[in-house]
Amino acid sequence: MKTYSIAVLPGDGIGPEVIAEAERTLEAVGERFGLDFTLPRFAIGAAGVAVAGDPFPADTRAAVARADAVLLGAVGDPSLDQAPRHLKPESGLLALRAQLGVYANLRPVTVFPALVNRSPLKADRLEGVDVLIVRELTGGLYYGEPRGREGASAVNTLRYSAAEIKRVARVAFESARQRRRHVTSVDKANVLEVSQLWRETVTRVGQDYPDVRLDHLYVDTAAMRLVADPRAFDVLLTENMFGDILSDEAAVLVGSLGLLPSASLGEGPGLFEPIHGSAPDIAGGDVANPIGAIATVALLLRHGLGLAEPAAAVERAISSALEQGARTRDIAEPAAPALGTRAMGLRIAGLIAEAQRSGAPVTM
Ligand code: IPM
Ligand code: MN
């Protein structure tokens, strides 16, 4: 039996609770498909500061480099809001992304038919929405130097090289080939030189993909179009900061930030994390939605380990649970009963196991 080693970084807030359900999912997948996962845990974020005085401790740093994939919960803790930058939980996450070199962040946004009424947007706009956001993750304003405070002013630097743009653009075009063959590149080329380089470079890469339709939108227009006509998007390619903002906006389409997974890919092991944050206000209350973390397991299996069938089985179990009416508080009708984090995780793990007992075919 092949053994996969997955470095598990639960992190802060609701991270540990949702990651416990992601681990339960991996165990169910292991049993059903005859796979063996070892799941060593390491600290990151405020948890890293607590145990090692560092949001990305040395043993975490070493462990992620030798893992087959990295599974992360969430980082962030209000008690460190005023801490110096090197002690902020977010700095640990950014250092992790940089060390792994995971420059392409995939954020699939698919509306579950069972939940069309949970979005504040009109249901007729949402049916069939299926967008893949490809966010550049290791460059741009998040990493640009110089940066810092200078008395009464402050500076951050937006810089991209053509090489950085090219490699993430390729991921977008390759992904589009597996989908509806349409890339929308988002920039601010009417104002920013960096965006002009972005647009030129993406256009050049696009010439290698004549079968994929490419168009360009300014980020303000894209923000509007994303809620006004979300079906207009297939693959949305953009830089780090715009992608951060647009992916939270896209979560509104699905009804809850708690539902969405992400995969961050580079040359080495991939990093897999739900897109939600640490939600300290509800941490420890067994109310967080574990579906984002469980859907992240599906991406880890597919993109991190090349296990397409187990990935599809996890996604089918999530859809079935929702179709059967399973709801955590964030996606329940007002005043309707809701499952806790653990109960939702158990339900989905049960559905993965049940498909095996009933002899359901394991292929899609
Ligand atoms: C995300 C988060 C992070 C980001 C924060 C926690 C640094 O918002 O993954 O979208 O901005 O990238
Ligand atoms: Mn974000």
Side-chain angles (χ1 to χ4, degrees), residues 24-60:
R24 191 191 306 286
T25 305
L26 279 167
E27 278 152 25
V29 165
E31 276 194 16
R32 171 156 169 212
F33 291 92
L35 303 165
D36 188 33
F37 300 104
T38 59
L39 304 171
R41 289 180 165 222
F42 301 91
I44 192 156
V49 174
V51 299
D54 184 344
F56 188 30
D59 58 340
T60 307

Side-chain angles (χ1 to χ4, degrees), residues 75 90 93-94 97 105 107 135 137 142 240 244 247-248 273-276:
V75 300
E90 291 79 6
L93 176 58
L94 297 190
R97 290 171 177 172
N105 179 224
R107 298 188 161 188
R135 169 189 177 195
L137 200 65
Y142 279 53
N240 202 344
D244 179 46
S247 58
D248 270 34
E273 47 178 318
I275 83 163
H276 62 68

Side-chain angles (χ1 to χ4, degrees), residues 128-182:
V129 165
D130 180 6
V131 185
L132 176 66
I133 297 178
V134 178
R135 169 189 177 195
E136 200 291 327
L137 200 65
T138 52
L141 278 172
Y142 279 53
Y143 292 94
E145 298 283 348
R147 64 182 294 164
R149 301 286 295 258
E150 297 164 358
S153 61
V155 63
N156 288 97
T157 300
L158 176 59
R159 175 188 297 278
Y160 269 105
S161 68
E164 288 176 291
I165 300 166
K166 217 180 276 173
R167 62 185 184 180
V168 71
R170 289 209 178 277
V171 173
F173 283 102
E174 292 292 337
S175 305
R177 278 192 168 157
Q178 312 298 317
R179 302 167 47 91
R180 302 193 303 283
R181 297 177 183 262
H182 178 200

Side-chain angles (χ1 to χ4, degrees), residues 269-328:
L271 169 63
F272 300 85
E273 47 178 318
I275 83 163
H276 62 68
S278 60
D281 52 321
I282 58 166
D286 193 41
V287 294
N289 191 340
I291 290 180
I294 294 170
T296 294
V297 166
L299 296 187
L300 185 156
L301 293 165
R302 180 178 297 118
H303 298 288
L305 306 179
L307 299 169
E309 270 182 31
V314 172
E315 285 161 351
R316 275 198 305 276
I318 293 170
S319 296
S320 303
L322 292 172
E323 276 154 29
Q324 292 169 8
R327 299 283 185 275
T328 43

